[in-house]
Every structure is written in structure tokens, then in C-alpha cells.
Amino acid sequence: MIKFLDLQKINILYQAEFELALKRVLQSGWFILGNEVTLFEKEYAEYCETKHCIGVANGLDALIIIIRAYKEMGLFADGDEIIVPANTYIASILAISENNLTPVLVEPDNSTFNIDPTQIEKHITPKTKAILGVNLYGQTADWTALNTIAKKHNLKLIEDAAQSHGASHHTKKSGSLGDAAGHSFYPGKNLGAIGDGGAITTNDSELAEVILALRNYGSFKKYENIYKGMNSRLDELQAAFLRIKLKNLDKENHRRMEISNRFLKEINNDELTLPFIEPHNISAWHLFVVRTKNRAIFQQYLTDKGIQTLIHYPIPPHQQLAYKELNNLSFPITEQIHHEVLSLPISPVLTEQEVDYIISTINEFKV
């Protein structure tokens, strides 16, 4: 079986360096907010071309804390609205509702799967305070258009960069495309930890200061709490591991791009619609997502042929039980996407022989 994502094979390449990092952390005797986190924050901020990086516990916390910080700064309040794509992973929406703000769902562009800027302005009300753009599957949203809308209506721009480590939009790096960005280092991400992890990047120094306190019980100084904060800190050991993997992120992304280019050029099957990447974007190719009206048949066919695939995501957020208040809404483009998408194996450790087999097997598929 060709695994969808072979995390063991990916991470075993770093075993020797991981063991040295573990030894270094153990010998330091400092396990929370120590030197490894400080160094990773510096290195990742430089990578994203931002002034600040603040490590947090996971990607969801990153988005929650950004919105919470804006509330503490008096820029957002309970009941305010944040525009978000309807077809995103539910975490993007959870971050909004967790802060007692209202998510306003907007349909995606049918070719890129990212939020459709032409549909945003009709959803803006006096309560709208931000746009939360998601770089879905590794391709950045149209941040040029989003910035234009945000400036026109005095809105904050929050970037969900959980799937786009190393991607860019008009040569500008993911993580620097909005006012603040939330990152996930879940093991399956392009920059994946050996457990959970996350970060926030921003060029806003005032925002960064508030976030630094919020992630640590609302405190800059032990036992002195400025805000009703939370415990959401990037683990020292995970930071050490991430520092190692960050050095190879561009190399691994390049391999993903090589595989994707082969898929785009060599997969030739009328049953499938292949991904579309905007010419001014460089995708991180976190996922290679095809569409087919015969998804169940196609997925079973690939399984029978020894190729593992996944569905990202089978149920759109507005149809989830968790958001009963949204269940009566209709988003036809989103719903069609969720019924048709299938993610093919893509990772930096796929061999050329495996890529050959995936392509030939897909080209032989018939309904």
C-alpha cells in the first residue's frame, strides 16, 4: 500500500538530529519557554519575513489568540462578525465562535477552493471587523484582493496559514500576508512537529506583546496577570525538533512541487478535475486534491490498487452538528466541493516508482 502520508518515513530521516536535540533539551533542564522556543521563534519569523513569531500550543489556539488579542486591544467585541470561507476546516470557524464573535460564511472560488473575493463585500455589515482568509490545501488565497477590501472597509486581515508553510503570493511569504497569521505544526503539515504545535506571526508589535501575555496565563511576569489568558505555549522539545525540520522545509516543498508537476502534466483522465494554481502563487502543495463526481467509486478503485487516499473534508462546517445554527444555510459551491474532492498521496518521501504507479493507475480508471 502506498500510504497517503508516511510520517514514519519522513521523520526517521531526522532521527539522529532529533536525538541530539532531545539530549540538548534534557541537559538544559529548561522545558517551558526556553532557548529552543526563543530560537525557533526568531528563525521562523525570518523564514516568514515577519518581525514577530510567538509559539503556541497548536494551530487552533493560534487563531483563537489572535482574535482574543484584538478583543483585549478594544478592536473586536462580543457579537462582532468575521468573514470566513464556507469550505474551510472547522478550526477556522471554531476560533471565531470561541471568542463569542459571529462567523459569516462566504463561498469559495470554484477553481482555487479559496474564498471568492467577489462575494465578500455583500456580506459586510457594520458589525464586520475582519476577514479570516484560509490558504487551503497549500495555495494562498487572493491576498491582493483581500487587502483591497480590508483597506476599503477598515477591516483586519487574519491569515490561516496552517496548510501553507513556505507558500507565497506575488513573492510575499505565507505568514506575512495579513495583519497576523496562525500556523499549525500538526505532524501531517509540511512543517510538522512530533506532536502538536503552533505559532503566530505578525508585523504588529503591539499585537505581538498582547499575544505574548495571552499565551502564558495573561502574564509577562510570574504571578502578575494583566489579562485572563490561557496556557498555550509551544513545547521546548517540539521547538527543538521544528528548528531541525525548518532547515529542510524548502527542499521538501520542492519535492512536493516536483510530484505535483508530474501529476498535473501526466494525469490524463476525463473523470477528474485537477488542481488549479494562480500564476502569481507558489503553492506549498500540502495536499494534491482532485475532484470527481464518482468519488466513492474512484476512492475504492485506488484502495483496491494499493493507493491510500483521504477526503479533506467530507462534511462542510455549516452542516456539522456543532453549528446547528448554520444547518439551514445553503452553500452550493461548498457542498459540491465537499462531495467531490479526494486527496492523492503527496509527500517528500514518495519515490519516482510510486509516482509512476499512481499516475498510470489513475489514467486507467473508468466508470
Side-chain angles (χ1 to χ4, degrees):
M1 174 69 74
I2 297 176
K3 291 184 179 180
F4 174 76
L5 183 65
D6 193 335
L7 289 177
Q8 183 183 26
K9 193 173 180 181
I10 289 171
N11 287 301
I12 202 71
L13 299 172
Y14 298 101
Q15 182 174 337
E17 290 180 272
F18 285 166
E19 288 174 354
L20 289 174
L22 171 60
K23 183 178 180 180
R24 186 172 69 243
V25 171
L26 286 172
Q27 290 180 343
S28 77
W30 196 284
F31 307 115
I32 301 291
L33 296 185
N35 192 52
E36 297 294 339
V37 169
T38 298
L39 288 172
F40 173 73
E41 289 174 336
K42 178 178 181 295
E43 291 159 5
Y44 195 60
E46 290 174 353
Y47 181 82
C48 293
E49 301 172 355
T50 58
K51 292 180 181 178
H52 307 282
C53 171
I54 304 100
V56 295
N58 54 68
L60 175 56
D61 279 5
L63 295 175
I64 289 173
I65 292 171
I66 291 169
I67 298 170
R68 174 71 182 281
Y70 280 129
K71 289 183 73 177
E72 295 292 353
M73 294 166 70
L75 300 176
F76 296 173
D78 287 358
D80 283 343
E81 298 171 351
I82 295 181
I83 288 172
V84 63
N87 65 313
T88 185
Y89 181 57
I90 198 169
S92 311
I93 298 171
L94 286 170
I96 299 169
S97 57
E98 181 68 17
N99 278 289
N100 295 318
L101 273 70
T102 302
V104 176
L105 277 56
V106 173
E107 287 271 49
D109 180 287
N110 204 26
S111 59
T112 67
F113 304 120
N114 283 320
I115 193 167
D116 185 348
T118 67
Q119 301 300 309
I120 289 175
E121 287 192 280
K122 64 184 178 184
H123 294 279
I124 294 175
T125 75
K127 286 191 172 185
T128 307
K129 292 299 188 295
I131 301 169
L132 198 165
V134 181
N135 302 329
L136 199 65
Y137 306 151
Q139 178 175 201
T140 63
D142 187 348
W143 289 95
T144 300
L146 297 184
N147 269 282
T148 299
I149 296 168
K151 287 178 181 177
K152 179 179 177 182
H153 296 278
N154 193 29
L155 305 176
K156 291 295 181 184
L157 272 183
I158 302 170
E159 180 186 358
D160 185 338
Q163 300 185 10
S164 56
H165 309 142
S168 62
H169 174 78
H170 286 295
T171 73
K172 195 173 182 182
K173 278 282 189 72
S174 172
S176 69
L177 298 169
D179 295 298
H183 306 255
S184 168
F185 305 127
Y186 179 78
K189 304 299 186 186
N190 290 38
L191 181 59
I194 315 301
D196 268 323
I200 297 162
T201 53
T202 183
N203 287 313
D204 186 333
S205 296
E206 182 183 0
L207 178 68
E209 281 295 301
V210 178
I211 289 169
L212 276 168
L214 284 174
R215 75 165 178 188
N216 188 40
Y217 298 100
S219 173
F220 291 114
K221 184 177 180 181
K222 197 169 185 178
Y223 303 129
E224 294 183 12
N225 304 86
I226 302 170
Y227 310 109
K228 297 175 183 176
M230 55 196 293
N231 176 14
S232 181
R233 302 172 297 209
L234 178 62
D235 184 80
E236 187 76 354
L237 185 58
Q238 295 299 341
F241 292 157
L242 288 166
R243 291 184 64 211
I244 294 166
K245 296 186 75 174
L246 179 59
K247 296 174 185 176
N248 275 337
L249 177 57
D250 285 344
K251 179 181 177 182
E252 293 193 356
N253 279 354
H254 181 72
R255 177 58 183 153
R256 288 173 177 269
M257 184 179 292
E258 287 179 338
I259 295 166
S260 297
N261 285 340
R262 285 203 60 194
F263 284 167
L264 291 171
K265 291 176 183 177
E266 299 177 40
I267 291 176
N268 183 19
N269 191 313
D270 291 340
E271 295 290 335
L272 306 180
T273 301
L274 301 180
F276 170 76
I277 304 298
E278 294 282 1
H280 49 259
N281 283 346
I282 295 177
S283 177
W285 288 109
H286 173 59
L287 299 172
F288 191 97
V289 179
V290 299
R291 293 176 66 173
T292 175
K293 296 184 183 302
N294 298 289
R295 182 173 68 189
I297 297 171
F298 181 52
Q299 185 174 37
Q300 187 60 55
Y301 165 79
L302 292 179
T303 300
D304 293 343
K305 295 291 186 178
I307 299 170
Q308 184 184 29
T309 58
L310 293 179
I311 299 171
H312 296 87
Y313 304 96
I315 305 173
H318 71 280
Q319 293 181 339
Q320 297 283 359
L321 184 60
Y323 284 101
K324 294 188 292 293
E325 67 274 22
L326 303 178
N327 287 173
N328 63 325
L329 299 180
S330 174
F331 296 96
I333 296 174
T334 291
E335 290 158 18
Q336 183 180 13
I337 288 171
H338 281 257
H339 287 146
E340 294 181 357
V341 291
L342 189 69
S343 300
L344 303 181
I346 181 168
S347 83
V349 295
L350 274 183
T351 67
E352 285 302 308
Q353 291 74 22
E354 288 172 328
V355 175
D356 289 340
Y357 180 70
I358 292 168
I359 292 169
S360 62
T361 301
I362 289 174
N363 286 342
E364 292 170 3
F365 172 68
K366 294 179 182 178
V367 178

